[in-house]
Amino acid sequence: MSETNNNSSNLRSPTGGQGAPVHKLENYITGSWITGDGDGQLLYDAVTGETIAAATTKGLDFASILQYGREVGNASLRKLTFHERGRMLKVLAMYLMEKKESFYAVSYRTGATKADSWIDIEGGIGNLFANASLRRKFPDLPYCTDGDPIGLSKGGTFMAHHLLVPKEGVAVHINAYNFPVWGMLEKCAVNWLAGVPAVVKPASITSFLTEAVVKEIIASGILPQGALQLLCGSAGDLLDHVTAQDVITFTGSKTTGLMLKGHKVILEESVPFNMEADSLNALLLGSDVTPGSAEWDIFIKEIRKEMTVKAGQKCTAVRRIFVPEQFLEDAYLAIGKSLAQTVIGNPLNDKVRMGALAGKEQRDEVKANVQKLLSASQIVYGSLDSIEVIDADASQGAFLSPLLLLTEHPFQNNAVHDIECFGPVSTIMPYKDLDEAIRLTKKGKGSLCCSIITANDKIATEFVVGAGTHHGRILVLNKDCAKESTGHGSPLPMLVHGGPGRAGGGEEMGGVRGVKHYMQRVAIQGSPTTITAITKQYQPGAKGIQSDVHPFRKYFEDLQVGDQITTQKRIITSEDIDAFAELSGDHFYAHKRDTNFSGTMFEKQVAHGYFILSAAAGLFVDGSDLGPVLLNYGIDELRFTKPVYAGAVLTIRFTCKEKLPQDAKPDDENDIPKGIVKWLVEMLDETAEIAGIATILTMVAKREQKR
Ligand code: NDP
């Protein structure tokens, strides 16, 4: 093993020529760049076949890597608030965007075209941006609540809430070869926002690109020490050292996934294991779509894209195409015609739309799997043996022609629903009716995503409800959304990615949902005052904090959750209700004096709910002069729980419920440093019962820069 401080990737200079020593990728562990022992696994340029590097982790102490992550990385990250972690992600994303061209240069060597690399590189960085923005859904604390408060007693002195705290371990990501950048960043963005560090083990064959990105991440100094470690090569005995506080994610083949999932230590320690494996994703053409229609063209375009982007090496790519039986021939002929326009070759050539597979071994595996399918299918487009490429030598690069297969009897052919050809391969099949189509999509035994192309919302509904059990995501595509659609194959940071059954049974991303995978949920029971202190959210029934200063006179920093006032009283009169009806134009029967109320839910003229809230504002607002409260930001919730009749006496209990800081906009000279404050407005009548309850929001200036 040797340690270096070199932060630049050697991949920019040619290596591995005849007799030249092969450059060894470096592992970033326990705060240093270290090369493993031995020769390592040779890695090749997917286009030229040239040897470009070797990957080895031999000799590394895997136990100490995890320990370092827990003791150094986790200790720093868990102390930061969600907002601090989110801002860190944003700064990192902006930094990596500036370096992106150097990543593209390396990415071409994985066989990826510019468009493929965009998905991998900028798509990956996009996940950092998306999770950075997600911080606003969380409090400015290292932990958060989950769900609503739960009352547990009649007297209101005993209650519960669920709390999420960052796990004390490490996120171990074992990734597939197809997205060396996105695969790392889509996962790390989430565990970092949760306050957990990562150990990333990319698939060896494309790990040279992951290494190039990690070099920049580490060089940036944006992440705290220990937040990210990288292993280029075998995972060694890493999994022997995981504990219950760690989380493992795996993307790759079902065989490896199942083997790892059954690891003794993972089972004994109950380590969460999120698996994303082979997925026989389907696309269905609705029976309402006819050749020549707008949706037909969308269908052909989507299939071509799914088969050729990343040369079909996408976990979400369409492997099975179902079309109404009467259009089977039209469909495969049209798809073939479209595929024929795809220029294949060296990704560095601008005309090229499909590059090489990640390696020759991967190509051989795809071919072997196609051979298995051919016992009950036939090729209707493409060839297993010949391919035309531009600007490249087909015998040196891992090129493969797109292959469209046809299976006429999909219920009799199980292989087509079982075998994932991880390349530009898809099989088209007929169906008779929607019920049959739904059953066919389910024969994949669980997939990451599925699409239906239809302009008929009744068909769409029946399909989604019928097939939803077997797919992680369903896209309904038609001319209304096609132009702006992100497409069948794109997992999105705010949507759940993962699927049941064969797809691994896992879930990743999904916005706030994903962050929770790295946090421990714990139910907290106690008094409302204690739960308020812990959650930093005012819980109904908790003791309020009384002071001589009206809360509207306090700057953001000075306000405390629980700051409370009880207002003067106001009598609600019939004249008030009449006047509000005139002013608003709301003459609903319940608000009129002369209504015959027999048989209604009311006894007599009722005040408008919005009048009660307005009257409440009249009671709790303090500030005819300029003060820290800048503006009314809106209402989160509003309930009218009891009719307020003319003659009722209204009092308001007004409490600071939660504080949400907002980032300053340094480029906006009119911006005022500020935060959002949530207030609980309890509208009490003369019996001290709650007649209405609301959570209102105001924007409150920070003291640091008074106007
Ligand atoms: P593998 O299952 O072989 O490898 C996936 C990851 O697991 C790699 O990082 C690999 O590392 C690692 N790994 C392998 N063995 C072990 C082990 N014993 N302990 C710890 N880690 C291990 O999948 P590939 O990436 O090679 O892809 C193979 C097939 O998987 C594809 O042909 C395709 O069918 C499927 N696949 C499915 C995807 C999906 O999301 N649906 C995505 C990608 C692939 P190393 O590279 O060093 O062996």
Side-chain angles (χ1 to χ4, degrees):
M1 272 186 313
S2 63
E3 194 174 320
T4 68
N5 289 319
N6 175 11
N7 279 330
S8 65
S9 173
N10 289 353
L11 290 172
R12 290 177 199 110
S13 59
T15 52
Q18 280 260 306
V22 176
H23 157 68
K24 269 195 214 172
L25 297 183
E26 291 178 298
N27 304 286
Y28 186 71
I29 57 163
T30 59
S32 308
W33 285 102
I34 292 175
T35 48
D37 294 336
D39 293 340
Q41 178 184 339
L42 290 179
L43 313 181
Y44 303 99
D45 186 310
V47 181
T48 63
E50 183 191 358
T51 306
I52 49 175
T56 168
T57 57
K58 207 168 159 193
L60 303 189
D61 177 355
F62 291 93
S64 71
I65 294 169
L66 291 175
Q67 202 50 25
Y68 182 81
R70 293 180 200 118
E71 285 175 4
V72 180
N74 189 296
S76 314
L77 281 169
R78 68 183 302 106
K79 277 192 213 126
L80 301 177
T81 68
F82 285 103
H83 288 234
E84 288 166 334
R85 293 176 208 140
R87 286 194 288 270
M88 176 184 83
L89 294 185
K90 189 174 171 190
V91 175
L92 181 61
M94 291 193 299
Y95 178 88
L96 292 178
M97 278 305 267
E98 283 186 8
K99 308 281 174 189
K100 67 179 183 182
E101 290 312 327
S102 65
F103 306 147
Y104 275 93
V106 181
S107 178
Y108 292 125
R109 309 193 79 176
T110 69
T113 61
K114 180 148 197 182
D116 299 339
S117 303
W118 182 86
I119 299 171
D120 191 28
I121 297 165
E122 299 192 47
I125 298 171
N127 271 264
L128 291 175
F129 277 121
N131 278 277
S133 301
L134 197 62
R135 72 186 184 279
R136 299 194 184 93
K137 299 261 180 213
F138 291 95
D140 193 24
L141 293 171
Y143 55 90
C144 62
T145 55
D146 185 35
D148 296 324
I150 301 140
L152 295 173
S153 68
K154 267 191 184 164
T157 62
F158 187 56
M159 64 165 297
H161 218 313
H162 287 93
L163 206 68
L164 292 166
V165 290
K167 285 184 186 273
E168 286 185 338
V170 173
V172 176
H173 301 309
I174 299 176
N175 290 341
Y177 61 78
N178 51 346
F179 287 109
V181 185
W182 180 86
M184 167 173 65
L185 294 181
E186 57 109 358
K187 293 187 175 89
C188 286
V190 184
N191 61 254
W192 287 330
L193 187 62
V196 174
V199 172
V200 175
K201 197 221 99 49
S204 296
I205 63 161
T206 51
S207 55
F208 54 88
L209 174 53
T210 317
E211 189 223 34
V213 177
V214 173
K215 288 245 164 181
E216 290 296 355
I217 294 178
I218 300 302
S220 77
I222 292 165
L223 297 180
Q225 270 292 351
L228 175 62
Q229 298 182 83
L230 173 73
L231 296 171
C232 295
S234 154
D237 66 356
L238 186 75
L239 298 184
D240 291 347
H241 307 287
V242 291
T243 71
Q245 288 295 317
D246 301 321
V247 176
I248 302 171
T249 73
F250 169 82
T251 308
S253 65
K254 187 177 159 192
T255 322
T256 313
L258 286 181
M259 193 240 316
L260 298 183
K261 199 176 178 179
H263 191 287
K264 194 167 163 279
V265 179
I266 295 177
L267 296 177
E268 273 177 9
E269 291 272 330
S270 305
V271 184
F273 187 93
N274 190 77
M275 175 161 145
E276 190 199 312
D278 312 357
S279 177
L280 277 296
N281 313 295
L283 186 144
L284 182 84
L285 181 70
S287 57
D288 57 306
V289 181
T290 50
S293 66
E295 275 74 22
W296 179 270
D297 295 342
I298 292 165
F299 162 66
I300 303 296
K301 209 169 150 192
E302 197 68 13
I303 293 294
R304 176 180 166 191
K305 197 168 81 183
E306 282 303 310
M307 289 183 67
T308 57
V309 167
K310 268 309 270 188
Q313 302 164 111
K314 273 191 320 171
C315 50
T316 51
V318 172
R319 306 289 174 208
R320 300 176 299 148
I321 307 161
F322 299 109
V323 297
E325 57 185 358
Q326 66 273 26
F327 297 133
L328 183 64
E329 192 177 345
D330 293 294
Y332 71 69
L333 290 176
I335 296 169
K337 211 167 145 195
S338 174
L339 287 172
Q341 290 162 17
T342 306
V343 180
I344 304 165
N346 188 338
L348 285 168
N349 187 312
D350 284 349
K351 293 198 187 77
V352 167
R353 292 291 168 269
M354 187 174 108
L357 272 68
K360 287 183 190 160
E361 229 176 83
Q362 284 63 38
R363 184 184 57 183
D364 291 346
E365 205 178 305
V366 175
K367 283 186 177 183
N369 279 334
V370 172
Q371 288 295 359
K372 287 184 203 158
L373 293 184
L374 286 180
S375 59
S377 306
Q378 54 176 301
I379 295 176
V380 288
Y381 178 83
S383 159
L384 267 174
D385 311 310
S386 65
I387 181 163
E388 230 179 81
V389 296
I390 67 164
D391 226 359
D393 180 346
S395 68
Q396 295 303 313
F399 296 102
L400 181 67
S401 145
L403 292 160
L404 182 66
L405 276 54
L406 166 68
T407 287
E408 292 193 54
H409 305 288
F411 281 104
Q412 280 133 51
N413 176 2
N414 284 328
V416 73
H417 307 289
D418 261 356
I419 298 169
E420 184 190 32
C421 299
F422 207 66
V425 184
S426 212
T427 304
I428 190 164
M429 295 167 257
Y431 73 83
K432 284 190 173 38
D433 55 35
L434 192 56
D435 178 54
E436 193 174 292
I438 291 171
R439 283 191 287 129
L440 283 170
T441 67
K442 290 182 181 174
K443 277 179 77 66
K445 295 189 184 143
S447 80
L448 293 172
C449 59
C450 179
S451 289
I452 176 164
I453 301 193
T454 177
N456 181 323
D457 289 343
K458 204 159 159 264
I459 293 178
T461 308
E462 206 175 314
F463 179 74
V464 167
V465 176
T469 48
H470 283 60
H471 309 285
R473 174 168 60 85
I474 296 181
L475 164 69
V476 181
L477 203 53
N478 58 33
K479 64 176 183 315
D480 293 342
C481 66
K483 213 167 166 193
E484 289 195 300
S485 157
T486 45
H488 166 98
S490 305
L492 298 175
M494 294 306 132
L495 302 187
V496 160
H497 178 52
R502 182 197 303 276
E507 253 193 19
E508 40 189 90
M509 302 198 288
V512 171
R513 289 174 203 86
V515 178
K516 293 179 182 176
H517 294 153
Y518 298 96
M519 306 192 82
Q520 180 60 42
R521 183 178 293 105
V522 50
I524 310 291
Q525 295 168 282
S527 77
T529 305
T530 305
I531 305 289
T532 294
I534 295 169
T535 59
K536 311 282 185 277
Q537 291 168 2
Y538 179 78
Q539 308 297 336
K543 282 183 202 133
I545 305 166
Q546 316 296 329
S547 107
D548 294 340
V549 184
H550 190 284
F552 270 30
R553 292 278 141 208
K554 293 185 180 179
Y555 284 93
F556 187 79
E557 300 91 328
D558 302 330
L559 271 168
Q560 287 187 69
V561 167
D563 272 351
Q564 190 175 71
I565 52 159
T566 304
T567 67
Q568 301 291 321
K569 296 183 184 342
R570 170 171 177 165
I571 300 174
I572 303 298
T573 65
S574 231
E575 289 71 28
D576 285 337
I577 302 171
D578 293 346
F580 190 82
E582 278 312 309
L583 188 64
S584 63
D586 177 353
H587 297 286
F588 190 60
Y589 80 94
H591 308 311
K592 294 203 290 202
R593 293 185 198 207
D594 53 5
T595 296
N596 174 2
F597 283 96
S598 62
T600 74
M601 293 181 75
F602 305 106
E603 293 164 15
K604 54 183 182 173
Q605 184 188 24
V606 192
H608 304 70
Y610 302 120
F611 168 54
I612 297 304
L613 183 65
S614 306
L619 290 168
F620 67 69
V621 168
D622 174 290
S624 47
D625 305 328
L626 285 182
V629 177
L630 302 169
L631 52 88
N632 176 358
Y633 199 64
I635 297 173
D636 256 8
E637 59 170 359
L638 176 59
R639 288 278 180 284
F640 303 119
T641 48
K642 199 180 165 192
V644 175
Y645 295 117
V649 182
L650 197 66
T651 315
I652 309 302
R653 189 160 57 224
F654 185 66
T655 315
C656 175
K657 185 174 172 182
E658 198 179 349
K659 291 166 65 181
L660 306 166
Q662 282 205 324
D663 296 334
K665 295 179 193 147
D667 301 334
D668 181 355
E669 58 185 34
N670 295 321
D671 187 47
I672 297 170
K674 61 194 178 301
I676 300 297
V677 179
K678 291 189 180 187
W679 305 91
L680 182 68
V681 183
E682 291 169 293
M683 297 162 244
L684 311 167
D685 67 11
E686 65 283 1
T687 65
E689 279 185 36
I690 292 177
I693 192 157
T695 298
I696 65 149
L697 290 77
T698 59
M699 194 178 268
V700 179
K702 289 189 177 165
R703 181 171 16 89
E704 61 192 39
Q705 281 175 41
K706 291 182 193 174
R707 287 173 298 182

